[in-house]
Amino acid sequence: MTFFWTKNAVKEVVRRHWSERAATFDEGPTHAPQSPEQRSAWQDKLKSWAGPNPIDALDMGCGTGFLALGLARLGHRAAGVDFAPAMLERAAAKAATESLTIRLEQADAENLPFGDASFDLVIERHVIWTLPDPTGALLEWRRVIRPGGKIILIEGRWSTSETP
């Protein structure tokens, strides 16, 4: 018997998975800075990507808000979208703790609730691999970027048979 997953079924599994992991998500070594030095290094990198002047930035698949919060700390107008409501709740709580303003939306990375050319920067970290249609998502992200804007993909090498 062959079983075919629909795109919506895959998205529901992904949403449920990340919602269940929200409470402990930041404890993972690749999900949030684990030291002041890591946090400083990430802030420096965000500053180099976003520049010194305030911009409109979108953290795609923001999880608990790592990139959106970092951009807001630098004075940018940050927004974050995620498919998992529990992740957004954690991001909102962290923003409140730091008295930072970030716009958070529950949204599908392939169908964003923003108009064309809404952002100067779209950034994601470890999101592409979770999407059933990465090409469609990238086209959608390009739609919301202003002319001259940037899309930054931060991805990893998750599995390989090669020896380093």
Side-chain angles (χ1 to χ4, degrees), residues 8 20 31 35 50 52 60 63 81 87 91 95 107 109 123 152 158 160:
N8 287 338
E20 291 169 1
H31 297 157
S35 69
M60 186 61 57
V81 297
M87 289 287 192
I123 189 168
I152 297 177
W158 304 114
T160 181

Side-chain angles (χ1 to χ4, degrees), residues 38-156:
Q38 284 182 353
R39 183 174 173 163
S40 177
W42 273 105
Q43 285 300 115
D44 289 346
K45 191 48 102 172
L46 288 172
K47 186 184 294 183
S48 74
W49 287 329
N53 299 320
I55 63 167
D56 296 307
L58 176 60
D59 179 0
M60 186 61 57
C62 68
T64 63
F66 171 66
L67 296 171
L69 291 166
L71 290 161
R73 283 185 206 106
L74 294 171
H76 300 293
R77 294 173 298 275
V81 297
D82 203 283
F83 208 44
M87 289 287 192
L88 295 169
E89 290 168 12
R90 301 277 300 174
K94 289 165 65 175
T97 297
E98 293 189 51
S99 298
L100 294 171
T101 300
I102 57 174
R103 177 181 174 185
L104 296 168
E105 301 262 349
Q106 183 178 353
D108 181 338
E110 299 166 17
N111 187 21
L112 296 171
F114 307 110
D116 295 352
S118 296
F119 296 95
D120 303 295
L121 172 68
V122 170
I123 189 168
E124 67 82 41
R125 184 168 179 244
H126 306 166
V127 172
I128 292 288
W129 71 273
T130 69
L131 303 174
D133 182 11
T135 301
L138 287 167
L139 291 170
E140 179 68 352
W141 303 353
R142 185 174 71 180
R143 179 186 68 77
V144 300
I145 282 289
R146 292 182 179 127
K150 298 178 194 173
I151 297 176
I152 297 177
L153 309 176
I154 305 164
E155 289 297 327

